[in-house]
Amino acid sequence: MITVGITTFKRRFEMVKGLIECIKRISPEIEIILAVNADYKEKFDEDYRKGICQLCVDNSNVFPVFFPTFTSLSKMWNMIVLNASNEFVLLMNDDLIVENKSFIETVNEEVEKRKNRKIQDQIFKINDSFSYFVCSKAFLDDIGYFDERLLAFGEEDGDLVWRYIEKYGDEIQSILIEGVSNMGEGYLIANPNMKTENVKNYRLVPQFNRDFIDTKYKKSFRGIKGMFESKRKRIKADEKQYPYESFKRNFYKDL
């Protein structure tokens, strides 16, 4: 069985409410970890906090993790994986619509196929998108967690893809599941207080993460392209994040 991890924020309450209720209709007992973010430079909305708490009360096995100050998407993804009670986690955007009643069952079946494969097979995208993808704790222990120096949101997937290709020499695999779609709201209602830039004329992304990626990777004809706009070579090393998590996983059973 997988754990579902969802990240969300105030202006998307109705979206995440609909998504959780939909998931619970098709898989009532599934564990959901809900990472609830604050807005940058804003006090956490008390009515929103109460609404999230009520949503979790109304749906069994939903565990909220509140961030009273704005927290990066990388850190929220890491926190979801670290706190999940299952080895494999399905990370989902909050603006997804799930119409396929076999969606969770299909993901679980794919996870079962991959449990005893090579570590690089313990991550896969769905419909070639990082709006919803699955990874294992062991995989992140091996490749390194999502880079929390990306203090806002954006570029987390591209950074992981670059590191994946460098380490394993291949692309991250994807599976096809019909009946799942994205509302397309994207970043347009994300955070009004951040410095942003327009990318490809359709979405606003935080300037900080884009700038950080330019300090971590430089353009190079001998580099790796991955999801970046051009081939790049790493010039800034990664720090070891959560170094004791593997110790916990190895000895937890001995408590």
Side-chain angles (χ1 to χ4, degrees):
M1 180 62 74
I2 59 169
T3 292
V4 172
I6 305 171
T7 61
T8 193
F9 54 94
K10 182 172 65 175
R11 285 172 299 286
R12 298 173 92 150
F13 178 75
E14 292 301 325
M15 293 182 189
V16 78
K17 182 175 183 288
L19 177 59
I20 288 175
E21 290 172 349
C22 180
I23 291 172
K24 284 299 181 178
R25 282 196 295 271
I26 62 179
S27 185
E29 299 305 314
I30 196 166
E31 176 181 270
I32 298 178
I33 297 179
L34 182 62
V36 186
N37 209 358
D39 282 330
Y40 182 59
K41 291 186 176 180
E42 288 187 17
K43 183 178 179 180
F44 201 99
D45 187 287
E46 181 64 11
D47 289 336
Y48 176 56
R49 186 190 66 82
K50 291 177 180 178
I52 289 291
C53 288
Q54 188 62 55
L55 176 64
C56 296
V57 169
D58 293 341
N59 293 274
S60 64
N61 221 21
V62 179
F63 302 95
V65 180
F66 287 96
F67 295 90
T69 58
F70 176 82
T71 301
S72 70
L73 179 58
S74 287
K75 191 174 188 69
M76 289 194 294
W77 276 352
N78 288 339
M79 289 295 99
I80 288 171
V81 173
L82 293 176
N83 286 286
S85 65
N86 296 296
E87 174 67 15
F88 283 79
V89 181
L90 166 62
L91 292 163
M92 303 182 71
N93 284 357
D94 55 2
D95 61 346
L96 291 167
I97 301 172
V98 179
E99 298 173 315
N100 186 336
K101 294 181 180 179
S102 301
F103 174 64
I104 297 298
E105 180 183 355
T106 302
V107 173
N108 273 318
E109 290 173 354
E110 185 67 24
V111 165
E112 286 298 320
K113 295 177 186 177
R114 293 169 178 265
K115 276 185 175 178
N116 297 316
R117 291 187 189 175
K118 295 180 292 185
I119 195 69
Q120 57 262 45
D121 293 330
Q122 293 186 15
I123 181 174
F124 59 91
K125 296 179 289 183
I126 300 172
N127 299 340
D128 202 29
S129 171
F130 276 100
S131 290
Y132 40 136
F133 66 99
V134 175
C135 67
S136 72
K137 294 172 181 278
F139 168 77
L140 288 183
D141 277 344
D142 190 65
I143 197 172
Y145 290 82
F146 295 101
D147 193 338
E148 294 180 10
R149 293 173 297 182
L150 293 163
L151 296 181
F153 50 87
E155 308 293 347
E156 305 85 4
D157 47 4
D159 176 68
L160 182 71
V161 166
W162 193 99
R163 291 189 284 127
Y164 186 97
I165 296 172
E166 180 194 43
K167 186 174 180 67
Y168 306 119
D170 204 354
E171 299 279 352
I172 295 176
Q173 298 173 8
S174 180
I175 67 168
L176 175 65
I177 305 179
E178 296 181 349
V180 188
S181 58
N182 191 294
M183 290 184 186
E185 297 291 342
Y187 296 94
L188 297 180
I189 57 172
N191 201 302
N193 301 318
M194 284 187 176
K195 297 175 184 177
T196 59
E197 66 172 313
N198 191 285
V199 178
K200 297 180 180 178
N201 297 317
Y202 74 96
R203 62 189 178 111
L204 296 174
V205 298
Q207 184 72 45
F208 185 92
N209 281 19
R210 297 275 291 180
D211 291 344
F212 177 79
I213 285 296
D214 288 338
T215 68
K216 184 173 181 179
Y217 302 97
K218 71 174 182 179
K219 294 180 180 180
S220 171
F221 289 118
R222 296 183 180 180
I224 296 169
K225 187 173 188 294
M227 291 178 63
F228 295 142
E229 296 159 354
S230 59
K231 290 184 178 181
R232 297 196 177 213
K233 181 178 181 181
R234 176 160 43 188
I235 55 176
K236 181 178 288 188
D238 287 314
E239 300 289 341
K240 180 68 175 177
Q241 296 184 129
Y242 307 108
Y244 297 137
E245 275 303 307
S246 58
F247 181 90
K248 173 187 172 182
R249 293 175 66 250
N250 289 335
F251 294 103
Y252 187 78
K253 64 182 182 300
D254 298 328
L255 291 177

